[in-house]
Amino acid sequence: MTSPFAQHGAFSWFELMTSDLDGAKPFYKTLFGWELTDRPMPNMPDATYTVAKLGEQEAGGLMTLPSQMTGAPPCWMVYITVQDVDVSAQQAQELGGKVLMPPTDIPDVGRFAVIQDPQGAAFNIMTYLPMAS
């Protein structure tokens, strides 16, 4: 079976962006039994990224809403794997969508963009760097 981090069109990651990270952690940990691990964010040195793991599977992360999203409500975002973020972002525009955040590199992870479909739903597209087995 192809990894969701390599398969074009697969849902690969889920991310909570919240105004109260410290309040969100015990809620999700208790409700779902997730193991939560804080990790530094190399491109945002004052920020913490909390990885959510169930059993051996990492499935998502939690973080404080970034400054670019000031005024936005807390939300869960989905990441969908694509073969080429730049090509897919352009294709989304041609299909009537909007690029809310242009293709951007995440060090040691890959390249992503935030897209909005023609009906207004936002989601992330992501091309991951090759992962070590």
Side-chain angles (χ1 to χ4, degrees), residues 4-131:
F5 298 107
Q7 183 177 9
H8 184 85
F11 287 88
S12 56
W13 195 253
F14 302 90
E15 190 168 72
L16 174 67
M17 295 188 185
T18 180
S19 55
D20 182 7
L21 182 59
D22 290 333
K25 288 179 189 180
F27 175 84
Y28 287 102
K29 180 177 180 151
T30 302
L31 185 64
F32 298 125
W34 292 348
E35 178 184 326
L36 301 175
T37 305
D38 289 343
R39 296 187 182 159
M41 295 177 68
N43 54 335
M44 298 171 72
D46 295 332
T48 298
Y49 192 80
T50 303
V51 174
K53 188 175 179 182
L54 185 61
E56 295 301 311
Q57 182 65 42
E58 291 182 349
L62 297 80
M63 64 183 284
T64 300
L65 280 160
S67 59
Q68 306 93 300
M69 294 181 68
T70 299
C75 61
W76 276 96
M77 292 293 293
V78 62
Y79 285 79
I80 301 170
T81 302
V82 295
Q83 291 175 351
D84 185 317
V85 165
D86 296 86
V87 169
S88 292
Q90 179 62 39
Q91 186 179 24
Q93 287 181 306
E94 292 167 2
L95 293 169
K98 294 180 185 173
V99 176
L100 301 178
M101 179 178 215
T104 304
D105 292 326
I106 301 174
D108 302 320
V109 177
R111 189 164 173 80
F112 85 109
V114 182
I115 306 296
Q116 186 178 50
D117 73 14
Q119 293 74 39
F123 58 96
N124 298 296
I125 55 174
M126 181 83 172
T127 301
Y128 294 90
L129 295 174
M131 296 182 181

